[in-house]
Amino acid sequence: MSITRRRFLKGSLAAGAAATAPAFYINSALAQEQTLRIYAWAGYFTDAMLADFTEKTGIRATFTPYGTNDELMNSLRATDGSGFDVIMPTVDRVPGYLDYDLVQPLDTSRINWDGALESAIEGSEVGGVVDGRRYFAPSDWGTEAITWHRRYASIDRANLSYADLWNPEHGQGVTVRGHSALVGIGLWLEREGRLPFPLLDSYKSEEAMRANFDVILEEAVKHKQMLVQFWDTENEAQAAFRTNGAIIGQTWDSTAFRLQQEGEDIAYGAPREGALAWMEGFVIPRNAQNPDAVYELINWYYTPEAGAMFVEATGYNSTAKGATELLPEATRQFFTDSYSEQDLANLWWWPIQEPWYVALRNEYQDRYLSA
């Protein structure tokens, strides 16, 4: 993404106290005639959030969860963009939906952009705006980095690296997600000068991707005996620590946040190679039946109260202005403890993942899983 990452994070941290214009609603009568069908990541809409949305707008809403971007894409392709009114992919995947004609451009005049962080709006232009039309209204961002149990894993926080996952002292106590673990290993090998091409070139050509990932896969397989479990979904990542014996892993920030809420002595930190960062947002499928209600949902979300409810439910970071000021101290402390200013300036944002890259990525992941 071309936006300066420091500017994005500066905006997200500084806008907490910004005043938010009142949300406005358009075509409410039409929106209320049908139920809004939300298809989003597991845990993103609690019963309390749905009830608040209905109370504020008069619109009934149902929530169907998914666990991965691939699951979302496969579902929409199977129904030709029908079945749901709004989805929440990561911004790097949006161009892939256009390749299959599965989504429609947003009517940006119907969105209360005053309620969203300007840095997030600008940051979502790469991937979220295609051929001058915006398809994506940013909702949240987060990272994937290193989670560890302080009692059982000895970590030098100042020099944390993706290589630390594979310290033999961790025994068979590591959990990772297949495809993103390969990227983490790639960042480590790139820092040591062991890749034939810059890692970002992997997203530009099949030649560079295969050359890099052949090296990455060989390194990954060397350490596979240390894995206690692969994870794909949030629930699986938490279970790795909660019940399956993991003491360290490459997980989403929400994994550590939720385990901490349960009283586990868990820490989360960004490696010196950069935490893997992503942004998600609202997208309308091509055959949505109730698009009017989607704009109501977006405008409801771009209020401090709704944004804070989302953060408390997920542990991720909302793009709604003023949400941070409404959060419990423990939630704000997790962010402070997890990221230094240098970490925030050093985030490694997922590049646009076009369909050809996703196919090759899955090929290497399958080889890793079956090795």
Side-chain angles (χ1 to χ4, degrees), residues 229-261:
Q229 177 192 318
F230 282 108
W231 65 270
D232 281 314
T233 68
E234 177 63 80
N235 288 338
E236 292 172 355
Q238 291 177 45
F241 285 89
R242 190 183 296 121
T243 61
N244 295 339
I247 63 172
I248 191 169
Q250 183 178 318
T251 77
W252 292 320
D253 43 6
S254 58
T255 303
F257 174 75
R258 288 169 173 167
L259 290 171
Q260 279 190 11
Q261 285 185 315

Side-chain angles (χ1 to χ4, degrees), residues 279-333:
M279 186 188 300
E280 294 166 344
F282 301 103
V283 174
I284 303 179
R286 178 166 62 90
N287 293 319
Q289 295 180 10
N290 196 2
D292 292 301
V294 177
Y295 294 104
E296 301 253 22
L297 177 72
I298 296 171
N299 291 335
W300 166 82
Y301 182 87
Y302 285 161
T303 63
E305 295 78 12
M309 292 175 75
F310 173 86
V311 177
E312 288 191 67
T314 65
Y316 297 135
N317 306 288
S318 173
T319 60
K321 286 181 180 177
T324 303
E325 297 302 301
L326 301 181
L327 294 175
E329 178 58 33
T331 305
R332 287 186 283 175
Q333 191 63 46

Side-chain angles (χ1 to χ4, degrees), residues 24 105-113 133-135 295:
F24 57 90
L106 297 174
D107 181 349
T108 57
S109 69
R110 302 176 67 179
I111 296 175
N112 180 24
W113 295 111
R133 296 192 292 182
R134 177 174 280 276
Y135 292 83
Y295 294 104

Side-chain angles (χ1 to χ4, degrees), residues 133-360:
R133 296 192 292 182
R134 177 174 280 276
Y135 292 83
F136 179 97
S139 61
D140 62 284
W141 67 275
T143 64
E144 181 178 329
I146 308 297
T147 294
W148 70 95
H149 200 298
R150 279 187 274 243
R151 184 181 304 174
Y152 304 114
S154 178
I155 295 296
D156 177 4
R157 182 65 172 269
N159 295 297
L160 183 61
S161 166
Y162 289 108
D164 291 343
L165 287 166
W166 313 111
N167 183 336
E169 294 181 0
H170 298 144
Q172 191 180 5
V174 183
T175 186
V176 297
R177 182 171 58 157
H179 75 83
S180 53
L182 294 177
V183 173
I185 292 171
L187 288 169
W188 157 37
L189 297 181
E190 180 180 46
R191 180 174 57 81
E192 295 189 345
R194 296 165 59 188
L195 292 184
F197 294 93
L199 185 61
L200 285 176
D201 285 0
S202 304
Y203 298 83
K204 300 174 183 177
S205 75
E206 180 174 344
E207 176 189 7
M209 196 279 188
R210 288 193 179 277
N212 283 339
F213 274 68
D214 284 344
V215 175
I216 293 168
L217 180 62
E218 181 181 4
E219 185 69 32
V221 172
K222 287 181 185 177
H223 309 287
K224 191 181 177 188
Q225 76 279 1
M226 295 181 62
L227 290 171
V228 67
Q229 177 192 318
F230 282 108
W231 65 270
D232 281 314
T233 68
E234 177 63 80
N235 288 338
E236 292 172 355
Q238 291 177 45
F241 285 89
R242 190 183 296 121
T243 61
N244 295 339
I247 63 172
I248 191 169
Q250 183 178 318
T251 77
W252 292 320
D253 43 6
S254 58
T255 303
F257 174 75
R258 288 169 173 167
L259 290 171
Q260 279 190 11
Q261 285 185 315
E262 296 174 7
E264 297 285 351
D265 189 14
I266 294 289
Y268 181 81
R272 53 182 161 170
E273 296 91 352
L276 310 180
W278 44 263
M279 186 188 300
E280 294 166 344
F282 301 103
V283 174
I284 303 179
R286 178 166 62 90
N287 293 319
Q289 295 180 10
N290 196 2
D292 292 301
V294 177
Y295 294 104
E296 301 253 22
L297 177 72
I298 296 171
N299 291 335
W300 166 82
Y301 182 87
Y302 285 161
T303 63
E305 295 78 12
M309 292 175 75
F310 173 86
V311 177
E312 288 191 67
T314 65
Y316 297 135
N317 306 288
S318 173
T319 60
K321 286 181 180 177
T324 303
E325 297 302 301
L326 301 181
L327 294 175
E329 178 58 33
T331 305
R332 287 186 283 175
Q333 191 63 46
F334 175 81
F335 185 93
T336 301
D337 291 343
S338 299
Y339 306 101
S340 68
E341 290 189 11
Q342 182 178 353
D343 293 333
L344 294 175
N346 191 41
L347 295 178
W348 193 88
W349 289 81
W350 284 104
I352 291 175
Q353 299 183 51
E354 297 182 3
W356 69 265
Y357 173 85
V358 174
L360 288 181

